[in-house]
Amino acid sequence: MTKPRIDYKAQALKRRNRFAYTTGVLGIIFITFFYYFYQVFFTPNVETKGRPTYVLVRRGQTSKAVLDSIDKTGVIVDRLSMYFVARLMKYDKLVKPGRYELKDGYTNRQLISDLRAGRQSPLKLTFQNIRLRQELARKLSTAIDTRPGQFDSLLSSPTYTKSLGFDTTNIMTMFIPNTYELYWNSSADNLMQRMKKEYEKFWTPARDAKRKKFDLTRAQVSTLASIVEAEQQQHADERPRVAGVYLNRLKRGMKLQADPTVVYANNDFTIKRVLNVHLQKDSPYNTYKYAGLPPGPINLPSIASIDAVLNPEEHNYLYFCAKEDFSGYHAFATNEAGHLVNARRYQAALSRAGIMK
């Protein structure tokens, strides 16, 4: 009996075919995986449509909580791919607090890389129209991850304010109104220290030399500037003249008799006209009762008002009142008689206009 003939060529062909098939299948799987890998890592997955979008990562937050908050912004195209890449990049091990911008056109890799590295987007903090310590504390707390009470406790602490070179009545003069860039996860103390540095930068040797000519401390300059700003809020060009009036009164030992300080002393900012009842308020801020400057500012004066005090108009005026044309400017006088004439003109203009002030 003869053995069956083995077709080695056919077997070899089958093996080659199986190998080619297996290789092809593996190639397709590899290409598919590589394509998906490329897609989830390198295809843009953030679409903000031009709307600035940010996510706040708080201390102690989990990676899932962060990703969930990002997803809720509605700017992620493929949420599952974002979670997948975050897991592959082990974001759960490197969650860093801060304020991050979800940039239009960002890929998952770029987004998670920023979060892992703590590459935050700075925010801008601007002070304006602030009168009271509590208002300042609230404003500061909106800029960073800190409660208003933390700032208020620092601002009202004799020990802490002394460490910065101030006291609780003049600590607000350390805050020079401007626009500052800072990071949302800064601590309250870090922000206070930053403001101290900005304060020192503001008080250049040239500014210090000018204040010394008037025998005023930095805090006193800011305090007087706060009164000047309250008196002339509309026209900054008149502030040097107003500053000159108050400096003249200080030089002569006259009471400042500034209405805005009486409003502040009464802690009633709805007062439109200062009456005799308001003048009776016993407060060191009432400059009708007490000579000299009040112990601290009645608002955060602008740089323009501070510079108006440092560069006052030289004149002999001692009085001023609103002009009768309602322009927002003032009529100035060198003596009380002239001041009364100006005041009567203004009162007459009010009566003609039917305005009860």
Side-chain angles (χ1 to χ4, degrees):
M1 180 176 177
T2 59
K3 294 180 179 181
R5 184 179 176 183
I6 300 174
D7 190 341
Y8 291 103
K9 288 185 177 180
Q11 289 182 348
L13 180 60
K14 287 180 181 180
R15 284 195 296 271
R16 284 196 297 271
N17 287 341
R18 283 198 299 269
F19 178 77
Y21 176 78
T22 303
T23 302
V25 171
L26 291 175
I28 292 172
I29 293 173
F30 176 77
I31 291 171
T32 302
F33 175 78
F34 180 80
Y35 179 74
Y36 179 73
F37 181 87
Y38 180 86
Q39 288 287 99
V40 299
F41 270 85
F42 300 106
T43 298
N45 198 36
V46 177
E47 190 175 290
T48 66
K49 295 182 172 60
R51 175 172 56 90
T53 307
Y54 300 88
V55 63
L56 299 178
V57 180
R58 301 185 181 280
R59 296 177 182 89
Q61 261 191 311
T62 65
S63 60
K64 184 180 184 307
V66 175
L67 297 174
D68 287 346
S69 63
I70 292 174
D71 183 37
K72 288 176 182 176
T73 64
V75 302
I76 301 300
V77 178
D78 181 358
R79 64 185 300 273
L80 292 179
S81 68
M82 177 185 68
Y83 284 89
F84 178 64
V85 171
R87 177 174 293 183
L88 289 181
M89 294 180 69
K90 298 181 179 179
Y91 175 50
D92 60 320
K93 307 295 184 185
L94 289 166
V95 178
K96 295 181 179 177
R99 175 180 179 267
Y100 300 89
E101 183 177 5
L102 306 180
K103 298 180 181 178
D104 194 44
Y106 247 27
T107 65
N108 287 322
R109 183 184 65 83
Q110 290 174 311
L111 173 60
I112 302 304
S113 292
D114 276 3
L115 294 171
R116 279 168 44 102
R119 285 191 286 268
Q120 299 183 58
S121 295
L123 52 81
K124 296 185 186 300
L125 171 65
T126 301
F127 311 122
Q128 63 183 82
N129 300 324
I130 293 176
R131 296 189 186 98
L132 303 173
R133 186 191 72 231
Q134 294 83 355
E135 292 175 333
L136 178 60
R138 285 195 296 272
K139 178 65 176 179
L140 296 175
S141 68
T142 62
I144 65 174
D145 187 19
T146 305
R147 296 185 305 278
Q150 290 179 272
F151 276 114
D152 197 44
S153 65
L154 293 179
L155 294 169
S156 59
S157 167
T159 302
Y160 186 79
T161 54
K162 185 178 180 180
S163 72
L164 295 172
F166 299 86
D167 59 40
T168 56
T169 59
N170 64 26
I171 183 61
M172 286 179 60
T173 65
M174 185 181 77
F175 296 83
I176 305 297
N178 211 332
T179 299
Y180 303 97
E181 276 197 350
L182 63 152
Y183 290 107
W184 178 75
N185 65 333
S186 300
S187 68
D189 178 60
N190 284 343
L191 180 51
M192 294 289 284
Q193 297 295 337
R194 165 74 184 283
M195 291 299 100
K196 170 66 172 178
K197 289 179 182 178
E198 296 292 345
Y199 173 84
E200 294 297 341
K201 284 167 54 179
F202 173 80
W203 281 103
T204 61
R207 281 193 171 102
D208 270 329
K210 289 177 179 179
R211 70 168 177 81
K212 288 176 182 176
K213 289 194 304 183
F214 302 110
D215 195 26
L216 295 173
T217 66
R218 293 174 175 179
Q220 287 174 328
V221 169
S222 291
T223 297
L224 180 53
S226 72
I227 298 173
V228 170
E229 180 149 319
E231 291 281 19
Q232 180 49 281
Q233 299 180 40
Q234 290 181 255
H235 306 293
D237 60 311
E238 193 183 66
R239 290 175 192 169
R241 179 170 290 189
V242 174
V245 170
Y246 286 126
L247 287 168
N248 285 344
R249 294 179 75 92
L250 285 173
K251 187 177 180 180
R252 289 166 174 74
M254 300 173 65
K255 292 176 182 175
L256 295 185
Q257 295 184 327
D259 286 1
T261 67
V262 178
V263 173
Y264 186 89
N266 281 271
N267 195 30
D268 182 358
F269 301 106
T270 65
I271 296 172
K272 299 300 182 183
R273 183 181 183 184
V274 173
L275 305 173
N276 284 331
V277 64
H278 302 131
L279 298 179
Q280 304 312 309
K281 180 68 175 182
D282 188 12
S283 166
Y285 288 90
N286 184 348
T287 56
Y288 276 82
K289 264 188 173 296
Y290 296 96
L293 289 163
I298 60 173
N299 57 55
L300 288 187
S302 64
I303 291 175
S305 292
I306 294 173
D307 283 340
V309 173
L310 296 174
N311 302 278
E313 183 180 307
E314 293 186 15
H315 53 62
N316 295 319
Y317 296 131
L318 295 171
Y319 303 88
F320 63 91
C321 74
K323 295 188 76 171
E324 68 271 18
D325 60 3
F326 305 121
S327 62
Y329 283 100
H330 295 85
F332 293 81
T334 59
N335 54 63
E336 189 172 7
H339 174 60
L340 291 175
V341 170
N342 292 332
R344 280 193 288 269
R345 285 175 181 164
Y346 180 61
Q347 291 297 332
L350 288 174
S351 297
R352 286 194 299 271
I355 300 173
M356 298 299 294
K357 188 178 179 185

